Amino acid sequence: MKTRIITALILVAIIAPILYFGGIPFKIFAAVANILATKEILDIVGKKWNPILKYSTYLLCLLTAFSDFLGISYFVLMEAAMIVWLGFWLVQDENVRFEDIGLVYIYSTIFAMMVAGVLRMYDYGNLFVFYMAFGTTFPDMFAYFVGRAIGKHKLNVRISPNKTIEGSVGGYIAGAIICFVYGFLVLQKFYALPTAFIVVSALTLPLVGQVG
Protein backbone atom coordinates (compact mmCIF):
# COMPACT_ATOMS: atom_id res chain seq x y z
CA MET A 1 0.00 0.00 0.00
CA LYS A 2 2.78 2.41 0.98
CA THR A 3 4.62 1.72 -2.28
CA ARG A 4 1.47 2.37 -4.32
CA ILE A 5 0.91 5.73 -2.63
CA ILE A 6 4.52 6.85 -3.05
CA THR A 7 4.50 5.81 -6.71
CA ALA A 8 1.23 7.67 -7.30
CA LEU A 9 2.58 10.86 -5.72
CA ILE A 10 5.73 10.71 -7.86
CA LEU A 11 3.67 10.22 -11.02
CA VAL A 12 1.40 13.14 -10.10
CA ALA A 13 4.42 15.38 -9.52
CA ILE A 14 5.75 14.49 -12.97
CA ILE A 15 2.53 14.41 -14.98
CA ALA A 16 0.69 17.42 -13.48
CA PRO A 17 3.04 20.09 -14.93
CA ILE A 18 3.01 18.32 -18.31
CA LEU A 19 -0.79 18.35 -18.42
CA TYR A 20 -0.95 21.97 -17.31
CA PHE A 21 1.42 23.38 -19.91
CA GLY A 22 0.45 21.01 -22.74
CA GLY A 23 2.12 21.76 -26.07
CA ILE A 24 5.44 20.08 -26.81
CA PRO A 25 5.87 18.59 -23.29
CA PHE A 26 2.53 16.81 -23.60
CA LYS A 27 3.34 15.56 -27.10
CA ILE A 28 6.65 14.13 -25.88
CA PHE A 29 4.89 12.52 -22.92
CA ALA A 30 2.21 11.05 -25.21
CA ALA A 31 4.88 9.71 -27.57
CA VAL A 32 6.74 7.97 -24.74
CA ALA A 33 3.48 6.58 -23.32
CA ASN A 34 2.53 5.32 -26.79
CA ILE A 35 5.85 3.53 -27.25
CA LEU A 36 5.70 1.91 -23.80
CA ALA A 37 2.08 0.82 -24.23
CA THR A 38 2.77 -0.55 -27.72
CA LYS A 39 5.75 -2.48 -26.38
CA GLU A 40 3.60 -3.97 -23.62
CA ILE A 41 0.98 -5.16 -26.11
CA LEU A 42 3.50 -6.51 -28.61
CA ASP A 43 5.38 -8.32 -25.85
CA ILE A 44 2.13 -10.22 -25.28
CA VAL A 45 0.79 -10.82 -28.77
CA GLY A 46 3.90 -10.45 -30.93
CA LYS A 47 6.38 -12.84 -29.36
CA LYS A 48 6.60 -14.88 -32.56
CA TRP A 49 6.17 -11.98 -34.98
CA ASN A 50 8.71 -11.19 -37.67
CA PRO A 51 11.00 -8.36 -36.40
CA ILE A 52 10.08 -6.27 -39.45
CA LEU A 53 6.40 -6.49 -38.54
CA LYS A 54 7.05 -5.85 -34.86
CA TYR A 55 9.14 -2.70 -35.26
CA SER A 56 7.11 -1.32 -38.13
CA THR A 57 4.03 -1.65 -35.91
CA TYR A 58 5.77 0.55 -33.32
CA LEU A 59 6.21 3.18 -36.01
CA LEU A 60 2.68 2.87 -37.36
CA CYS A 61 1.11 3.16 -33.91
CA LEU A 62 3.15 6.29 -33.19
CA LEU A 63 2.29 7.88 -36.55
CA THR A 64 -1.39 7.03 -36.10
CA ALA A 65 -1.47 8.58 -32.63
CA PHE A 66 -0.16 11.90 -33.94
CA SER A 67 -1.59 11.91 -37.46
CA ASP A 68 -4.58 13.95 -36.30
CA PHE A 69 -2.22 16.92 -35.81
CA LEU A 70 -2.17 17.26 -39.60
CA GLY A 71 -5.92 16.85 -40.06
CA ILE A 72 -8.61 14.19 -39.97
CA SER A 73 -7.75 13.02 -43.50
CA TYR A 74 -4.25 12.00 -42.34
CA PHE A 75 -5.74 10.09 -39.41
CA VAL A 76 -8.02 8.17 -41.78
CA LEU A 77 -5.04 7.50 -44.07
CA MET A 78 -2.97 6.07 -41.22
CA GLU A 79 -5.87 3.92 -40.04
CA ALA A 80 -6.17 2.49 -43.56
CA ALA A 81 -2.41 1.92 -43.74
CA MET A 82 -2.55 0.06 -40.43
CA ILE A 83 -5.32 -2.24 -41.70
CA VAL A 84 -3.52 -2.99 -44.98
CA TRP A 85 -0.14 -3.59 -43.32
CA LEU A 86 -1.44 -5.87 -40.56
CA GLY A 87 -3.75 -7.65 -43.00
CA PHE A 88 -0.84 -8.36 -45.32
CA TRP A 89 1.11 -10.03 -42.53
CA LEU A 90 -1.95 -11.95 -41.41
CA VAL A 91 -2.03 -13.62 -44.82
CA GLN A 92 1.73 -14.07 -45.19
CA ASP A 93 2.83 -15.17 -41.72
CA GLU A 94 1.27 -18.12 -39.90
CA ASN A 95 2.52 -16.75 -36.57
CA VAL A 96 0.24 -13.70 -36.89
CA ARG A 97 -3.26 -14.32 -35.58
CA PHE A 98 -6.37 -12.33 -36.41
CA GLU A 99 -7.18 -11.61 -32.75
CA ASP A 100 -3.65 -10.27 -32.23
CA ILE A 101 -3.72 -7.75 -35.05
CA GLY A 102 -7.24 -6.82 -34.00
CA LEU A 103 -5.99 -5.95 -30.53
CA VAL A 104 -3.11 -3.89 -31.92
CA TYR A 105 -5.42 -2.04 -34.31
CA ILE A 106 -8.00 -1.27 -31.61
CA TYR A 107 -5.26 -0.06 -29.29
CA SER A 108 -3.74 2.27 -31.88
CA THR A 109 -7.16 3.75 -32.71
CA ILE A 110 -8.15 4.31 -29.09
CA PHE A 111 -4.81 5.87 -28.21
CA ALA A 112 -4.93 8.18 -31.24
CA MET A 113 -8.45 9.31 -30.32
CA MET A 114 -7.34 9.90 -26.73
CA VAL A 115 -4.40 12.08 -27.75
CA ALA A 116 -6.57 14.04 -30.18
CA GLY A 117 -9.26 14.52 -27.54
CA VAL A 118 -6.84 15.81 -24.90
CA LEU A 119 -5.22 18.22 -27.34
CA ARG A 120 -8.62 19.64 -28.25
CA MET A 121 -9.32 20.30 -24.58
CA TYR A 122 -6.49 22.83 -24.57
CA ASP A 123 -8.50 24.89 -27.05
CA TYR A 124 -11.01 25.51 -24.26
CA GLY A 125 -8.51 25.84 -21.42
CA ASN A 126 -5.86 23.71 -19.75
CA LEU A 127 -7.92 23.43 -16.57
CA PHE A 128 -10.38 21.23 -18.47
CA VAL A 129 -7.63 18.63 -18.84
CA PHE A 130 -7.39 18.33 -15.05
CA TYR A 131 -11.17 18.02 -14.84
CA MET A 132 -10.99 15.02 -17.15
CA ALA A 133 -8.03 13.57 -15.24
CA PHE A 134 -9.73 13.95 -11.86
CA GLY A 135 -12.99 12.48 -13.13
CA THR A 136 -11.31 9.34 -14.46
CA THR A 137 -8.43 8.65 -12.07
CA PHE A 138 -9.98 9.46 -8.70
CA PRO A 139 -12.91 7.02 -9.13
CA ASP A 140 -10.43 4.24 -9.86
CA MET A 141 -8.27 5.17 -6.88
CA PHE A 142 -11.17 5.40 -4.43
CA ALA A 143 -12.68 2.21 -5.84
CA TYR A 144 -9.47 0.45 -4.83
CA PHE A 145 -9.55 1.76 -1.25
CA VAL A 146 -13.29 1.27 -0.75
CA GLY A 147 -13.10 -2.21 -2.27
CA ARG A 148 -10.30 -3.21 0.10
CA ALA A 149 -12.19 -1.82 3.08
CA ILE A 150 -15.74 -3.10 2.55
CA GLY A 151 -15.83 -4.88 -0.82
CA LYS A 152 -17.59 -8.25 -0.69
CA HIS A 153 -19.49 -8.69 -3.97
CA LYS A 154 -17.47 -9.24 -7.15
CA LEU A 155 -18.20 -6.83 -9.96
CA ASN A 156 -17.09 -8.95 -12.92
CA VAL A 157 -14.32 -11.52 -12.58
CA ARG A 158 -13.75 -11.52 -16.36
CA ILE A 159 -12.68 -7.88 -16.12
CA SER A 160 -10.80 -8.14 -12.86
CA PRO A 161 -11.04 -10.73 -10.08
CA ASN A 162 -10.46 -8.06 -7.42
CA LYS A 163 -12.99 -5.39 -8.43
CA THR A 164 -16.13 -5.24 -6.29
CA ILE A 165 -19.54 -3.62 -6.58
CA GLU A 166 -18.95 -1.72 -3.34
CA GLY A 167 -15.64 -0.40 -4.62
CA SER A 168 -17.15 0.66 -7.93
CA VAL A 169 -20.03 2.52 -6.25
CA GLY A 170 -17.68 4.14 -3.73
CA GLY A 171 -15.32 5.20 -6.50
CA TYR A 172 -18.16 6.71 -8.51
CA ILE A 173 -19.49 8.71 -5.55
CA ALA A 174 -16.03 10.00 -4.67
CA GLY A 175 -15.31 10.91 -8.30
CA ALA A 176 -18.63 12.73 -8.67
CA ILE A 177 -18.01 14.76 -5.49
CA ILE A 178 -14.52 15.74 -6.63
CA CYS A 179 -15.86 16.75 -10.06
CA PHE A 180 -18.60 18.85 -8.44
CA VAL A 181 -16.11 20.64 -6.18
CA TYR A 182 -13.55 21.22 -8.95
CA GLY A 183 -16.26 22.24 -11.41
CA PHE A 184 -17.85 24.84 -9.16
CA LEU A 185 -14.70 26.18 -7.52
CA VAL A 186 -12.39 26.20 -10.55
CA LEU A 187 -14.13 25.80 -13.92
CA GLN A 188 -17.10 27.99 -13.15
CA LYS A 189 -14.85 30.67 -11.68
CA PHE A 190 -12.42 30.88 -14.61
CA TYR A 191 -14.70 29.98 -17.52
CA ALA A 192 -18.18 30.99 -16.27
CA LEU A 193 -19.64 27.61 -17.21
CA PRO A 194 -23.37 26.96 -16.85
CA THR A 195 -24.32 25.10 -13.69
CA ALA A 196 -26.13 22.48 -15.77
CA PHE A 197 -22.89 21.60 -17.58
CA ILE A 198 -21.02 21.02 -14.33
CA VAL A 199 -23.84 18.94 -12.82
CA VAL A 200 -24.25 16.70 -15.88
CA SER A 201 -20.52 16.26 -16.49
CA ALA A 202 -19.79 15.58 -12.81
CA LEU A 203 -22.39 12.82 -12.80
CA THR A 204 -21.33 11.23 -16.08
CA LEU A 205 -17.52 11.59 -16.16
CA PRO A 206 -16.76 9.19 -13.27
CA LEU A 207 -19.15 6.65 -14.80
CA VAL A 208 -17.56 6.90 -18.24
CA GLY A 209 -14.11 6.62 -16.65
CA GLN A 210 -15.01 3.39 -14.88
CA VAL A 211 -16.60 1.91 -17.99
CA GLY A 212 -13.39 2.72 -19.87
Side-chain angles (χ1 to χ4, degrees), residues 51 71 84 86 89 97 100 113 145 148 153 180 187 198 203:
V84 172
L86 293 176
W89 282 95
R97 301 183 303 170
D100 293 340
M113 294 174 65
F145 289 114
R148 282 181 61 91
H153 303 87
F180 272 119
L187 295 184
I198 296 176
L203 291 175

Side-chain angles (χ1 to χ4, degrees), residues 29-41 58 62 107 111:
F29 170 74
V32 173
N34 184 27
I35 292 172
L36 293 176
T38 304
K39 180 181 183 303
E40 185 174 347
I41 291 178
Y58 274 115
L62 188 62
Y107 153 75
F111 193 91

Side-chain angles (χ1 to χ4, degrees), residues 10-167:
I10 293 175
L11 289 175
V12 168
I14 295 174
I15 296 174
I18 293 175
L19 291 178
Y20 180 80
F21 290 106
I24 294 178
F26 173 76
K27 293 177 181 179
I28 294 174
F29 170 74
V32 173
N34 184 27
I35 292 172
L36 293 176
T38 304
K39 180 181 183 303
E40 185 174 347
I41 291 178
L42 292 180
D43 284 345
I44 297 173
V45 304
K47 293 180 178 179
K48 297 182 179 180
W49 283 13
N50 184 299
I52 295 177
L53 170 61
K54 194 168 185 177
Y55 292 110
S56 63
T57 301
Y58 274 115
L59 179 61
L60 281 174
C61 286
L62 188 62
L63 292 175
T64 301
F66 294 94
S67 59
D68 187 66
F69 295 167
L70 303 175
I72 187 63
S73 59
Y74 290 91
F75 172 72
V76 174
L77 180 62
M78 287 308 307
E79 287 287 297
M82 180 76 75
I83 293 175
V84 172
W85 182 245
L86 293 176
F88 169 78
W89 282 95
L90 176 65
V91 175
Q92 295 295 321
D93 192 335
E94 62 181 8
N95 292 318
V96 179
R97 301 183 303 170
F98 181 81
E99 55 266 34
D100 293 340
I101 66 170
L103 179 63
V104 172
Y105 178 76
I106 291 173
Y107 153 75
S108 66
T109 302
I110 292 176
F111 193 91
M113 294 174 65
M114 181 199 72
V115 172
V118 172
L119 288 174
R120 279 165 173 73
M121 286 185 184
Y122 287 109
D123 295 336
Y124 299 96
N126 52 10
L127 295 178
F128 279 98
V129 178
F130 286 97
Y131 188 54
M132 181 266 310
F134 291 156
T136 54
T137 57
F138 275 93
D140 188 59
M141 181 177 66
F142 278 96
Y144 171 78
F145 289 114
V146 174
R148 282 181 61 91
I150 62 174
K152 295 181 180 180
H153 303 87
K154 298 297 183 181
L155 180 64
N156 190 323
V157 294
R158 293 184 62 191
I159 297 176
S160 173
N162 297 320
K163 293 186 182 298
T164 63
I165 295 176
E166 293 85 356

